[in-house]
Every structure is written in structure tokens, then in C-alpha cells.
Amino acid sequence: MLLPFSPSPLPPISAAWLARPSPAIAVDLLGCTLVRQFEDGSTLRSLIVETEAYAPDDPACHAYRRRTPRNAVMFGPAGYSYVYLIYGMYHCLNVVTDAEDVPSAVLIRAVQLQQEPPGDRSPQPLARLGAGPGKLCRALQIDRSHSGQPFAPGQPLWLEQRSPSLDQQMRQGAIALHQTTRIGLTQGADSPWRWYIRDSAAVSKR
DNA sequence: TGAAGGATTTGT
DNA sequence: CAAATCCTTCAC
């Protein structure tokens, strides 16, 4: 299933809206728009269809043990990006949430691209390009240089609210949300902090 | 200074 | 199931 993109501009999501516990944000970000603005000024919009929450006292959270240079942004205020390199070859994009000094974030695991990203790329279904945290960063050309930056219009990345019609469909259950345990973890694997739009073509298997 | 391992993806 | 590939973290 492909979600409909809004034909009209949607309001940006504020840092204040993101200053809540990460599980709540993970649910609320489903159906919202991730906007990538490239250096030439062009933009590429994607609908968020799969997320995971990471929180304080969560063994799976990068900030679980202590503050380090890598995870420092998670200790800061909500509304900033946290991008890290995993397995030496893939980047993962997070939205920092909750209050300052409460290290938490939401991992964007899958998006539905509105159009083909710029650059030479072998023709591939858009749903595939955004299926997986590493793949969506590759498609949107997101790397660690984008970590620690605010989500705000005019920046390389920002977020926009759900369209009213999509919000209504999700609240009425016409678009089903699912909640499961998180993927690929060795610790904290029991917390049911993964959410996705069930029938989306872009979510991870399971 | 060294070593182990990871919020992934892909191909065998 | 294992490789690719490199950064982060922790131990010595």
C-alpha cells in the first residue's frame, strides 16, 4: 500500500512538539513527512512509515551507559538530528526527543519517497529505496555531517505534520498501525517500541 | 594502544 | 549464514 502525499504544503513540526518521551513521538511521527533539502535547493519529501523509540534506562540506547562524543546530541534538547554509522557502511537517522538531559531518540526505519532522488541511481521502486534505516539514508544522501543539526525549514532536514486527511484515516483505523519489538537488538530486545504502518510496502519484514 | 562488536544490507 | 567495513567504546 502506498500512502497519499498531501497536495498542499503542511506545517513544519516544532522542537516543542518533539519534547516528549520517545515512544509517543515514534507513534506520532508515522505518516508525517521527512523533508530533505539538497545543496542545490531542491527538496525531496518522504512519508515516515516505520519508527523505533530509544529511551533512558534502555540498554539498547546508545546513550545508555554515559555521555560520549558520539551520543552527546541525544542529551541535548529535542528537535535535533542524531546520525551514526553502523557496521562501517550504513548511516541511521534519528530524531532527538524529550527534555534536555533526557537522552532519547526515534530511529527512522522506513520512509515512502515521493519521487526519485537526484543523482544517477538504477531504476528501483521508490518503496524499496526507503525500506530500511541504512537504505533510506543512502537514498536521501544523509551521513554524519547531518548529525547534530536542527530539524527546521531551510535546513538539510526538517519534518512536517500529518495531513488532516491522513491523520483522520489513521485515527479511525482505516490505516492500521502495528506495534512490535525492535529489530536487530542484542539488549533491550523485549521492549515493544517499534511501530509501523502495517500495509506499507516500505517496512522491514516481520 | 588494542580488540571486540554493532539500532544493516546483501548475496551465497 | 557470513561478508563487507570502520567507528565507538572499553579494557589493559
Side-chain angles (χ1 to χ4, degrees), chain A residues 83-102:
Chain A
V83 181
Y84 65 90
L85 178 66
I86 187 80
Y87 302 123
M89 40 172 53
Y90 295 101
H91 296 274
C92 292
L93 171 67
N94 294 257
V95 179
V96 174
T97 59
D98 220 316
E100 193 159 2
D101 294 323
V102 180

